[in-house]
Short mmCIF file of all heavy atoms in Angstrom, two decimals:
data_model
loop_
_atom_site.label_atom_id
_atom_site.label_comp_id
_atom_site.label_asym_id
_atom_site.label_seq_id
_atom_site.Cartn_x
_atom_site.Cartn_y
_atom_site.Cartn_z
N ILE A 2 -44.98 29.09 -24.25
CA ILE A 2 -43.94 28.53 -25.09
C ILE A 2 -42.58 28.71 -24.43
O ILE A 2 -41.75 27.81 -24.46
CB ILE A 2 -43.97 29.18 -26.50
CG1 ILE A 2 -45.28 28.82 -27.19
CG2 ILE A 2 -42.77 28.73 -27.31
CD1 ILE A 2 -45.46 29.51 -28.50
N GLY A 4 -41.89 28.87 -21.23
CA GLY A 4 -41.76 27.94 -20.12
C GLY A 4 -41.46 26.53 -20.61
O GLY A 4 -40.67 25.80 -20.03
N THR A 5 -42.09 26.14 -21.70
CA THR A 5 -41.85 24.81 -22.26
C THR A 5 -40.44 24.70 -22.81
O THR A 5 -39.76 23.69 -22.61
CB THR A 5 -42.87 24.53 -23.39
OG1 THR A 5 -44.18 24.72 -22.89
CG2 THR A 5 -42.72 23.12 -23.90
N THR A 6 -39.98 25.75 -23.46
CA THR A 6 -38.63 25.75 -24.01
C THR A 6 -37.60 25.70 -22.88
O THR A 6 -36.63 24.96 -22.95
CB THR A 6 -38.40 27.00 -24.88
OG1 THR A 6 -39.41 27.06 -25.87
CG2 THR A 6 -37.04 26.97 -25.52
N TRP A 9 -37.48 22.27 -21.47
CA TRP A 9 -36.79 21.35 -22.37
C TRP A 9 -35.28 21.53 -22.29
O TRP A 9 -34.52 20.56 -22.23
CB TRP A 9 -37.26 21.59 -23.81
CG TRP A 9 -36.59 20.69 -24.79
CD1 TRP A 9 -36.88 19.40 -25.05
CD2 TRP A 9 -35.49 21.03 -25.63
NE1 TRP A 9 -36.04 18.89 -26.01
CE2 TRP A 9 -35.17 19.88 -26.37
CE3 TRP A 9 -34.74 22.18 -25.82
CZ2 TRP A 9 -34.14 19.87 -27.29
CZ3 TRP A 9 -33.72 22.17 -26.73
CH2 TRP A 9 -33.42 21.01 -27.46
N PHE A 11 -33.61 22.75 -19.72
CA PHE A 11 -33.16 22.25 -18.42
C PHE A 11 -33.08 20.72 -18.44
O PHE A 11 -32.12 20.14 -17.96
CB PHE A 11 -34.11 22.73 -17.33
CG PHE A 11 -33.76 22.20 -15.97
CD1 PHE A 11 -32.67 22.72 -15.28
CD2 PHE A 11 -34.49 21.18 -15.39
CE1 PHE A 11 -32.34 22.24 -14.04
CE2 PHE A 11 -34.15 20.69 -14.15
CZ PHE A 11 -33.08 21.23 -13.47
N LYS A 12 -34.10 20.09 -19.03
CA LYS A 12 -34.13 18.63 -19.09
C LYS A 12 -32.97 18.09 -19.92
O LYS A 12 -32.29 17.14 -19.52
CB LYS A 12 -35.46 18.16 -19.67
CG LYS A 12 -35.61 16.67 -19.69
CD LYS A 12 -36.97 16.27 -20.24
CE LYS A 12 -37.08 14.76 -20.32
NZ LYS A 12 -38.33 14.34 -20.93
N SER A 14 -30.08 19.63 -20.57
CA SER A 14 -28.80 19.88 -19.90
C SER A 14 -28.62 18.91 -18.74
O SER A 14 -27.52 18.45 -18.47
CB SER A 14 -28.72 21.33 -19.42
OG SER A 14 -29.70 21.57 -18.43
N PHE A 15 -29.72 18.59 -18.03
CA PHE A 15 -29.62 17.62 -16.94
C PHE A 15 -29.25 16.25 -17.48
O PHE A 15 -28.42 15.55 -16.89
CB PHE A 15 -30.94 17.56 -16.17
CG PHE A 15 -30.88 16.67 -14.97
CD1 PHE A 15 -30.20 17.08 -13.83
CD2 PHE A 15 -31.47 15.42 -14.98
CE1 PHE A 15 -30.13 16.26 -12.73
CE2 PHE A 15 -31.39 14.59 -13.89
CZ PHE A 15 -30.73 15.02 -12.75
N ASN A 22 -21.70 12.32 -16.09
CA ASN A 22 -21.41 11.67 -14.82
C ASN A 22 -21.22 10.17 -15.03
O ASN A 22 -20.32 9.56 -14.45
CB ASN A 22 -22.55 11.93 -13.83
CG ASN A 22 -22.25 11.39 -12.46
OD1 ASN A 22 -21.10 11.30 -12.06
ND2 ASN A 22 -23.29 11.04 -11.73
N PRO A 37 -4.06 -1.28 -8.77
CA PRO A 37 -3.15 -2.19 -8.08
C PRO A 37 -1.93 -2.59 -8.92
O PRO A 37 -0.83 -2.72 -8.39
CB PRO A 37 -4.02 -3.41 -7.79
CG PRO A 37 -5.41 -2.90 -7.77
CD PRO A 37 -5.42 -1.79 -8.77
N ILE A 38 -2.12 -2.73 -10.21
CA ILE A 38 -0.99 -3.06 -11.09
C ILE A 38 0.02 -1.92 -11.09
O ILE A 38 1.22 -2.13 -11.00
CB ILE A 38 -1.49 -3.36 -12.52
CG1 ILE A 38 -2.40 -4.58 -12.50
CG2 ILE A 38 -0.32 -3.56 -13.47
CD1 ILE A 38 -3.14 -4.81 -13.79
N GLY A 39 -0.48 -0.70 -11.14
CA GLY A 39 0.40 0.47 -11.11
C GLY A 39 1.16 0.57 -9.80
O GLY A 39 2.34 0.91 -9.78
N VAL A 41 1.98 -1.92 -7.76
CA VAL A 41 2.99 -2.98 -7.73
C VAL A 41 4.18 -2.60 -8.58
O VAL A 41 5.34 -2.78 -8.17
CB VAL A 41 2.37 -4.32 -8.17
CG1 VAL A 41 3.45 -5.36 -8.42
CG2 VAL A 41 1.40 -4.81 -7.14
N THR A 48 11.91 -0.50 -5.09
CA THR A 48 12.70 -1.56 -4.46
C THR A 48 13.95 -1.87 -5.26
O THR A 48 15.03 -2.06 -4.69
CB THR A 48 11.85 -2.83 -4.32
OG1 THR A 48 10.67 -2.49 -3.57
CG2 THR A 48 12.60 -3.91 -3.61
N SER A 50 15.60 0.15 -7.18
CA SER A 50 16.58 1.24 -7.17
C SER A 50 17.31 1.35 -5.84
O SER A 50 18.44 1.82 -5.80
CB SER A 50 15.90 2.57 -7.53
OG SER A 50 14.93 2.89 -6.54
N ILE A 51 16.68 0.95 -4.73
CA ILE A 51 17.35 1.07 -3.44
C ILE A 51 17.52 -0.28 -2.75
O ILE A 51 17.75 -0.35 -1.55
CB ILE A 51 16.59 2.04 -2.51
CG1 ILE A 51 15.16 1.59 -2.29
CG2 ILE A 51 16.64 3.44 -3.04
CD1 ILE A 51 14.40 2.43 -1.29
N ASN A 53 19.88 -2.62 -2.83
CA ASN A 53 21.18 -2.96 -2.24
C ASN A 53 21.33 -2.34 -0.86
O ASN A 53 21.80 -3.00 0.07
CB ASN A 53 22.31 -2.49 -3.15
CG ASN A 53 22.44 -3.36 -4.37
OD1 ASN A 53 22.01 -4.50 -4.36
ND2 ASN A 53 23.00 -2.82 -5.43
N LEU A 56 18.78 -4.22 1.54
CA LEU A 56 19.15 -5.61 1.84
C LEU A 56 20.43 -5.69 2.64
O LEU A 56 20.57 -6.56 3.51
CB LEU A 56 19.26 -6.40 0.54
CG LEU A 56 17.93 -6.61 -0.21
CD1 LEU A 56 18.18 -7.33 -1.51
CD2 LEU A 56 16.95 -7.36 0.65
N ALA A 60 20.61 -7.42 6.27
CA ALA A 60 21.57 -8.49 6.53
C ALA A 60 22.42 -8.17 7.77
O ALA A 60 22.66 -9.05 8.61
CB ALA A 60 22.46 -8.71 5.31
N LEU A 63 20.20 -8.67 10.88
CA LEU A 63 20.02 -10.09 11.19
C LEU A 63 21.27 -10.70 11.77
O LEU A 63 21.21 -11.50 12.72
CB LEU A 63 19.59 -10.85 9.94
CG LEU A 63 18.14 -10.67 9.51
CD1 LEU A 63 17.89 -11.35 8.18
CD2 LEU A 63 17.21 -11.22 10.57
N ALA A 65 23.57 -9.16 13.51
CA ALA A 65 23.71 -8.66 14.88
C ALA A 65 22.74 -9.38 15.81
O ALA A 65 23.10 -9.75 16.94
CB ALA A 65 23.47 -7.16 14.91
N THR A 68 23.92 -12.97 16.40
CA THR A 68 25.10 -12.95 17.27
C THR A 68 24.67 -12.74 18.73
O THR A 68 25.19 -13.40 19.64
CB THR A 68 26.07 -11.84 16.84
OG1 THR A 68 26.43 -12.05 15.47
CG2 THR A 68 27.31 -11.80 17.71
N ALA A 69 23.72 -11.84 18.93
CA ALA A 69 23.22 -11.61 20.30
C ALA A 69 22.52 -12.84 20.84
O ALA A 69 22.71 -13.21 22.02
CB ALA A 69 22.28 -10.41 20.30
N THR A 72 25.13 -15.40 21.77
CA THR A 72 25.82 -15.01 23.00
C THR A 72 24.97 -15.33 24.22
O THR A 72 25.48 -15.82 25.23
CB THR A 72 26.16 -13.50 22.95
OG1 THR A 72 26.93 -13.23 21.79
CG2 THR A 72 26.90 -13.06 24.20
N LEU A 73 23.68 -15.04 24.12
CA LEU A 73 22.79 -15.35 25.25
C LEU A 73 22.74 -16.85 25.52
O LEU A 73 22.86 -17.29 26.67
CB LEU A 73 21.38 -14.83 24.96
CG LEU A 73 21.15 -13.35 25.15
CD1 LEU A 73 19.77 -12.96 24.64
CD2 LEU A 73 21.30 -12.97 26.60
N VAL A 77 25.64 -16.38 28.39
CA VAL A 77 24.93 -15.77 29.51
C VAL A 77 24.08 -16.80 30.26
O VAL A 77 24.16 -16.89 31.49
CB VAL A 77 24.06 -14.59 29.02
CG1 VAL A 77 23.22 -14.01 30.15
CG2 VAL A 77 24.94 -13.52 28.40
N PHE A 78 23.28 -17.58 29.56
CA PHE A 78 22.43 -18.55 30.24
C PHE A 78 23.24 -19.61 30.99
O PHE A 78 22.91 -19.92 32.14
CB PHE A 78 21.45 -19.19 29.26
CG PHE A 78 20.40 -18.24 28.74
CD1 PHE A 78 19.81 -18.46 27.52
CD2 PHE A 78 20.00 -17.14 29.47
CE1 PHE A 78 18.84 -17.60 27.04
CE2 PHE A 78 19.03 -16.27 28.99
CZ PHE A 78 18.46 -16.50 27.77
N ILE A 81 24.46 -17.96 34.19
CA ILE A 81 23.40 -17.78 35.18
C ILE A 81 23.06 -19.14 35.83
O ILE A 81 22.89 -19.22 37.06
CB ILE A 81 22.15 -17.17 34.52
CG1 ILE A 81 22.44 -15.72 34.13
CG2 ILE A 81 20.94 -17.23 35.44
CD1 ILE A 81 21.35 -15.05 33.33
#
Side-chain angles (χ1 to χ4, degrees):
I2 295 174
T5 306
T6 306
W9 180 79
F11 177 74
K12 184 178 177 184
S14 65
F15 184 74
N22 186 28
I38 297 169
V41 168
T48 303
S50 63
I51 58 175
N53 287 336
L56 293 177
L63 284 174
T68 303
T72 303
L73 282 172
V77 175
F78 291 154
I81 291 173

